[in-house]
Amino acid sequence: LCRLVATAPTGIAASHIAGGSTHYSFFGVGCHVDASPTGHLPKKHPQISAIQRVKEADVFLLDEVSMAKDQTLGMIDFYLRTIRKEIHPFYADQAFGGMIVIVTGDFFQLPPVQYAPLYKTVLKYSCAMPNVTSESDNLITRGNHLFARFRKVELTRQQRLQDDPNASLEQQEREGMHRRLISRFRSQH
């Protein structure tokens, strides 16, 4: 049996997940913990309830990743490593503390407000994961390096509009634009 922790970047998105919450609420750190423009590592510790849930979970799900800002994955990685190293020191050096992480999202939806979206800034980063103890390590580079390492799966069948004979040309154009962006991303990695 797989035990899952599910989060999303916004309260509305989290409300559509059974038992889900925002990642800020889940860790109990407040929504400004990753708001530093330089992406400095957070100083705030996760709540005890988050620590227990992470210790009991096998998989961490981040839904609506299209709304995640460029620091989000770095923050999640930081907290999962912090919590899971209490289980075993080995996890401190593993991406996401050794947890399986699944991100889902529709990149045609809204990007985060006031911040660069993760899926656009990742194109700037193509080198290896920085050393977590490095002084230059920050949430932005950490998150981008991790996102670049994810295995991407593109769903190509449009489920919502498949029976609609009047599916818009705009939708078809967006799908073509999306395929070109994915092709460019794949060619750089």
Side-chain angles (χ1 to χ4, degrees):
L1 182 65
C2 180
R3 294 164 296 179
L4 176 77
V5 170
T7 68
T10 68
I12 295 294
S15 71
H16 295 288
I17 304 170
S21 65
T22 67
H23 40 271
Y24 306 109
S25 175
F26 174 79
F27 289 114
V29 294
C31 63
H32 297 293
V33 74
D34 64 348
S36 164
T38 58
H40 293 299
L41 296 177
K43 293 175 177 52
K44 196 164 186 182
H45 297 286
Q47 288 183 341
I48 292 173
S49 60
I51 293 170
Q52 192 59 37
R53 285 179 66 194
V54 167
K55 286 181 176 180
E56 294 171 356
D58 304 304
V59 178
F60 190 95
L61 173 76
L62 174 60
D63 193 19
E64 301 293 358
V65 72
S66 63
M67 290 189 262
K69 52 188 157 180
D70 57 1
Q71 301 178 29
T72 300
L73 276 183
M75 182 200 76
I76 291 169
D77 174 63
F78 175 81
Y79 282 118
L80 291 178
R81 285 177 193 240
T82 300
I83 293 169
R84 296 200 25 111
K85 74 180 176 188
E86 293 178 18
I87 298 170
H88 194 283
F90 168 78
Y91 291 129
D93 295 326
Q94 302 299 308
F96 300 109
M99 285 188 81
I100 296 168
V101 175
I102 300 171
V103 296
T104 63
D106 178 352
F107 293 106
F108 291 136
Q109 292 183 356
L110 296 173
V113 178
Q114 293 184 322
Y115 295 93
L118 174 65
Y119 61 91
K120 284 194 177 179
T121 59
V122 74
L123 295 174
K124 297 178 193 174
Y125 300 90
S126 60
C127 55
M129 172 75 178
N131 181 343
V132 295
T133 61
S134 169
E135 289 297 317
S136 64
D137 186 24
N138 67 57
L139 297 178
I140 298 170
T141 57
R142 182 183 288 218
N144 281 292
H145 288 290
L146 288 167
F147 190 70
R149 292 171 50 188
F150 273 80
R151 179 173 173 240
K152 279 68 168 184
V153 177
E154 179 183 2
L155 304 178
T156 57
R157 186 169 180 200
Q158 174 54 264
Q159 296 295 322
R160 282 182 269 182
L161 299 176
Q162 76 179 20
D163 296 329
D164 183 357
N166 300 317
S168 72
L169 291 174
E170 180 182 329
Q171 176 69 22
Q172 293 172 19
E173 185 175 321
R174 285 187 354 171
E175 287 177 9
M177 205 167 55
H178 180 63
R179 284 192 189 97
R180 287 189 297 277
L181 179 63
I182 287 182
S183 293
R184 189 175 85 189
F185 179 77
R186 286 180 181 154
S187 69
Q188 294 178 356
H189 291 84

